[in-house]
Amino acid sequence: NPTVLCIARLVKYKRIQDLILAVYLLKDKIPDIKLIVVGEGPTQRQLQLQATSYKLQANVQFIGRVSEEKKLELLSKSHIHVLPSSVEGFGLVTIEALAVGTPVVNADIPINREILNGQKADRLSGWQVKGGLLFSSGDYVDLAEKIEQLLTDHELYDKKVKEGLDLIKKYDWDKVNKEYEHLLFN
C-alpha cells in the first residue's frame, strides 16, 4: 500500500488536519493509501474525530509515541514522509527520512527550503528542493497534489530518493563539526 508517514507533535501549528484532508482528497484516486501518524499531543482526539468524520478509519492510523528504532523502521518502510507544519525548528525528521531513502513533502517555509537546499527557479515556479517537494503551507489541495505526484510518478520518486541520499551527506556530524571549528578558530 502507498504509505504516507507523519512524525510530529500533535498540536495545531503542525497542521496534521491538512494532511488528513489531503488523504481524503486522494482516497478516490488512490483507494489503498495509508497515512500513519506518529506522535502525541493535545489535538490527537480532534484529529481522530476528523479522520472518522471523513470515513478514513481504514486509511488513517494513529500510533502515538514510538521508540527511535521503531521510528526508523517506519521511515524506511514508508513511501513518503510529510511535514505539514507551518512553524518548525530544524526539522530533524526530514533528515532522518532522507537518510533512509524516503522522500519528503514539506510545507514551503524557510527552514524546509534551507534543509532541502532550496533554489528559486524563477518568479512563476516555486522553490526547487532536493529530496522531496514543497507545498504551499496550509493548502491541503496543493499538499494532496504533491503527494499524488510522488506516489504516481516513479521517475520523479526515484530522482527524489537519490537527491535525498546525496543531500544528507551535507549533514554528516564530522563534517559539520569541522566547519564549526573552522568558523570558531579561523
Side-chain angles (χ1 to χ4, degrees):
N1 291 354
T3 305
V4 175
L5 179 67
C6 179
I7 300 173
R9 178 139 169 74
L10 304 184
V11 292
K12 264 205 184 307
Y13 66 85
K14 294 290 186 174
R15 305 200 59 89
I16 310 303
Q17 66 274 13
D18 294 342
L19 181 52
I20 293 170
L21 284 168
V23 169
Y24 175 74
L25 291 179
L26 290 168
K27 187 178 170 187
D28 287 339
K29 295 177 184 177
I30 309 171
D32 54 348
I33 191 169
K34 182 86 166 168
L35 168 60
I36 300 172
V37 179
V38 175
E40 297 175 330
T43 63
Q44 183 170 348
R45 181 79 178 124
Q46 178 184 352
L47 294 168
Q48 289 170 325
L49 289 172
Q50 179 190 10
T52 300
S53 72
Y54 285 107
K55 297 181 177 24
L56 294 172
Q57 299 92 317
N59 303 90
V60 179
Q61 179 183 8
F62 293 87
I63 61 174
R65 187 179 299 205
V66 298
S67 68
E68 285 298 309
E69 294 81 18
K70 181 68 174 175
K71 178 173 79 167
L72 290 175
E73 176 189 330
L74 288 166
L75 279 168
S76 64
K77 289 183 177 180
S78 297
H79 293 92
I80 299 171
H81 182 270
V82 175
L83 191 60
S85 181
S86 60
V87 177
E88 197 60 51
F90 179 71
L92 183 60
V93 72
T94 295
I95 301 302
E96 293 170 325
L98 298 177
V100 296
T102 302
V104 298
V105 176
N106 288 359
D108 186 358
I109 58 176
I111 191 65
N112 290 331
R113 288 184 220 135
E114 183 179 334
I115 291 170
L116 297 171
N117 201 25
Q119 302 292 318
K120 185 76 170 162
D122 59 51
R123 274 185 329 124
L124 299 176
S125 62
W127 287 82
Q128 303 299 312
V129 295
K130 306 285 185 191
L133 301 173
L134 296 179
F135 71 96
S136 182
S137 182
D139 185 345
Y140 64 88
V141 174
D142 190 31
L143 173 56
E145 289 170 359
K146 296 302 190 307
I147 292 170
E148 181 181 8
Q149 212 177 343
L150 273 181
L151 289 177
T152 59
D153 185 338
H154 301 294
E155 191 174 307
L156 175 65
Y157 184 90
D158 292 342
K159 175 184 175 192
K160 293 301 177 182
V161 168
K162 183 181 180 322
E163 286 176 358
L165 291 170
D166 289 341
L167 180 62
I168 59 134
K169 295 172 187 168
K170 168 182 172 182
Y171 295 102
D172 177 276
W173 282 115
D174 289 334
K175 183 178 179 182
V176 170
N177 282 334
K178 285 177 185 166
E179 289 176 9
Y180 185 67
E181 286 173 4
H182 178 75
L183 286 172
L184 284 177
F185 303 112
N186 292 324

